[in-house]
């Protein structure tokens, strides 16, 4: 049987050691994965910022859509059309009907019929206007503040519509959630004096 010469063993060990040193040097010089590692460090704050910007834009857009819908629907009360159409309805039926009028003008992003709460109050003049707070002392959305009062001509009317909007990105700005359950309350309102529609 052929035996390897013993004198070659140290040179083989030296060659392996040199190969290991060369591989480490090559690894130090190699920058193929540096981009991926740098992106891993930057990606979390980048995507958090991106989604926070998108969510903020959605909240502003939803608020604007709701404000416009409340203003448009309130014209039906302002001109007396809504009162004429629902003269025989109960206050709760009128509140549901008015909510449907608002929801007909709201597009996308919210489940209007289940999320929207509507409050309509009448007053003798603007100086006597008082409304209940929508958030109680524990930071919860107070549904007791909502009702419907049918109004007549020349009466002052305050309309409020509110939704609990979900907050998805809280990493950068937790203060956007203003309710104890982690949601944001979006409120749209309108205040006006009814026309003399009885004349």
């Amino acid at each position: 049987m052929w035996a390897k010469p013993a004198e070659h063993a140290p040179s083989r060990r030296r060659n392996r050691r040199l190969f290991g040193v060369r591989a480490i040097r090559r690894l130090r010089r190699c920058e193929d994965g540096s981009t991926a590692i740098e992106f891993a460090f930057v990606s979390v704050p980048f995507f958090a910022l991106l989604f926070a910007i998108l969510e903020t834009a959605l909240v502003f857009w939803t608020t604007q859509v709701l404000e416009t819908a409340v203003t448009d629907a309130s014209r039906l009360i302002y001109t007396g059309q809504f009162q004429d159409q629902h003269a025989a309805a109960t206050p709760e039926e009128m509140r549901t009907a008015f909510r449907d009028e608002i929801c007909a003008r709201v597009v996308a992003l919210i489940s209007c019929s289940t999320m929207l709460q509507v409050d309509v109050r009448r007053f003798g003049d603007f100086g006597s206007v008082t409304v209940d707070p929508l958030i109680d002392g524990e930071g919860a959305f107070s549904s007791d503040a909502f009702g419907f009062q049918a109004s007549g001509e020349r009466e002052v009317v305050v309309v409020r519509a509110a939704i609990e909007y979900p907050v998805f990105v809280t990493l950068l700005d937790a203060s956007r959630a203003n309710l104890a359950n982690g949601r944001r309350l979006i409120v749209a309102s309108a205040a006006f004096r009814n026309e003399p529609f009885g004349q």
Side-chain angles (χ1 to χ4, degrees):
M1 186 179 204
W2 181 76
K4 294 179 182 176
E7 63 270 8
H8 294 292
S11 65
R12 275 199 302 271
R13 275 193 224 109
R14 189 169 45 250
N15 287 342
R16 280 192 208 128
R17 217 177 294 124
L18 287 173
F19 177 76
V21 170
R22 285 189 203 122
I24 291 170
R25 285 181 184 155
R26 252 184 284 134
L27 187 61
R28 282 183 186 168
R29 286 193 305 267
C30 182
E31 297 181 1
D32 291 345
S34 64
T35 304
I37 293 170
E38 289 169 3
F39 181 73
F41 286 129
V42 174
S43 63
V44 173
F46 170 76
F47 284 115
L49 181 62
L50 177 65
F51 289 126
I53 290 169
L54 290 174
E55 186 173 1
T56 302
L58 288 176
V59 168
F60 278 119
W61 186 67
T62 302
T63 304
Q64 185 58 49
V65 167
L66 187 60
E67 286 278 359
T68 303
V70 167
T71 301
D72 291 347
S74 294
R75 288 187 61 79
L76 297 175
I77 295 175
Y78 172 72
T79 57
Q81 296 173 63
F82 185 81
Q83 294 89 318
D84 288 343
Q85 292 170 2
H86 303 90
T90 65
E92 189 55 36
E93 289 171 341
M94 291 181 87
R95 186 161 82 102
T96 302
F98 188 67
R99 185 191 65 203
D100 293 342
E101 290 288 348
I102 294 174
C103 288
R105 295 163 172 80
V106 172
V107 291
L109 291 187
I110 60 171
S111 176
C112 191
S113 59
T114 57
M115 293 175 67
L116 188 69
Q117 295 288 337
V118 175
D119 180 52
V120 179
R121 306 284 175 175
R122 70 168 187 262
F123 303 93
D125 54 52
F126 285 103
S128 62
V129 171
T130 56
V131 291
D132 298 327
L134 300 180
I135 301 176
D136 64 20
E138 297 175 356
F141 182 42
S142 177
S143 58
D144 297 337
F146 293 90
F148 192 99
Q149 295 175 343
S151 59
E153 58 179 325
R154 291 192 174 92
E155 284 189 306
V156 171
V157 180
V158 175
V159 176
R160 294 185 297 171
I163 57 167
E164 290 185 70
Y165 199 78
V167 175
F168 301 105
V169 182
T170 58
L171 184 62
L172 295 179
D173 185 11
S175 66
R176 281 182 292 140
N178 57 7
L179 295 173
N181 62 4
R183 295 185 167 209
R184 180 175 182 81
L185 186 65
I186 296 178
V187 181
S189 60
F192 51 89
R193 185 185 293 277
N194 285 345
E195 290 182 341
F197 45 76
Q199 294 179 355

